[in-house]
Amino acid sequence: MIGRLNHVAIAVPDLEAAADQYRNALGANVGAPQDEPDHGVTVIFIELPNTKIELLYPLGEDSPINGFLEKNPAGGIHHVCYEVEDIIAARDHLKESGARVLGSGEPKIGAHGKPVLFLHPKDFNGCLVELEQV
């Protein structure tokens, strides 16, 4: 059901410093910051030959990233994102299998302009999983 790894998301306490590190120390192709108010984050995508890294920074006081950074002040891996062809079929299959879909269970539009869902980390070995329809 899942396709390729779309991205690994890393929550960071300083978005520009993290972008500079990838740009200058690693020589990566670093995109521009984009605010995602529906998700409470500002993101920067780093393009790699086989996937992407998504830097996450809180957007506003109600950002879900704030709690993560309180527990992990230096930042850290926040989630992995896998591609699926049909997000509704994937959601329904996962729910039938006992997995919990976070939020309302209805897809939201993600940073790539495509439908996304998040799955409870307790159902996936402590890893928050994002599914993105391609």
Side-chain angles (χ1 to χ4, degrees), residues 33-100:
Q34 61 187 70
D35 290 343
E36 295 295 332
D38 288 346
H39 298 278
V41 295
T42 299
V43 301
I44 292 178
F45 281 100
I46 299 159
E47 297 288 334
L48 305 176
N50 60 343
T51 193
K52 294 179 276 300
I53 301 294
E54 178 184 39
L55 301 177
L56 297 171
Y57 184 76
L59 179 63
E61 293 181 21
D62 295 331
S63 173
I65 302 305
N66 285 330
F68 183 91
L69 288 172
E70 285 173 12
K71 294 176 190 169
N72 305 279
I77 294 177
H78 183 262
H79 68 268
V80 295
C81 177
Y82 301 112
E83 296 177 353
V84 296
E85 288 188 23
D86 183 335
I87 200 160
I88 299 301
R91 176 200 64 193
D92 294 347
H93 172 77
L94 286 158
K95 287 171 93 174
E96 288 171 11
S97 300
R100 291 171 279 180

Side-chain angles (χ1 to χ4, degrees), residues 2-7 80-84 129-132:
I2 64 172
R4 64 180 217 103
L5 175 67
N6 184 281
H7 64 267
V80 295
C81 177
Y82 301 112
E83 296 177 353
V84 296
V129 173
E130 178 182 15
L131 300 178
E132 177 176 292

